[in-house]
Amino acid sequence: MGATTIGALIGGAIDAMSGDDSAADGALYGAITANVLKLVLPVAATYAVGWGVLKGIEVLGDTISERVKA
């Protein structure tokens, strides 16, 4: 199943627990949330990995420059 379908099922189930007549609006919110997360999470993960690499390069550069000065 795709993320959109799973998001719709989970959203509908959560909305149905609140006692509303229809779970359609919860399914819609769940599908929209799943699609937003499909876009945002890879971008955030890529940013975090890139930031970590740059910080590692900075620390490595500082270490090398300290050893060259000594």
Side-chain angles (χ1 to χ4, degrees):
M1 279 191 207
T4 305
T5 306
I6 293 173
L9 291 173
I10 292 172
I14 291 172
D15 194 37
M17 288 189 324
S18 67
D20 290 340
D21 291 336
S22 173
D25 55 342
L28 182 63
Y29 294 143
I32 291 170
T33 302
N35 282 325
V36 168
L37 289 177
K38 272 194 313 190
L39 195 86
V40 170
L41 288 180
V43 171
T46 302
Y47 179 82
V49 169
W51 182 83
V53 168
L54 288 175
K55 287 307 245 182
I57 290 172
E58 180 183 347
V59 169
L60 181 63
D62 290 344
T63 303
I64 290 172
S65 66
E66 286 177 8
R67 290 189 180 186
V68 169
K69 288 179 185 177

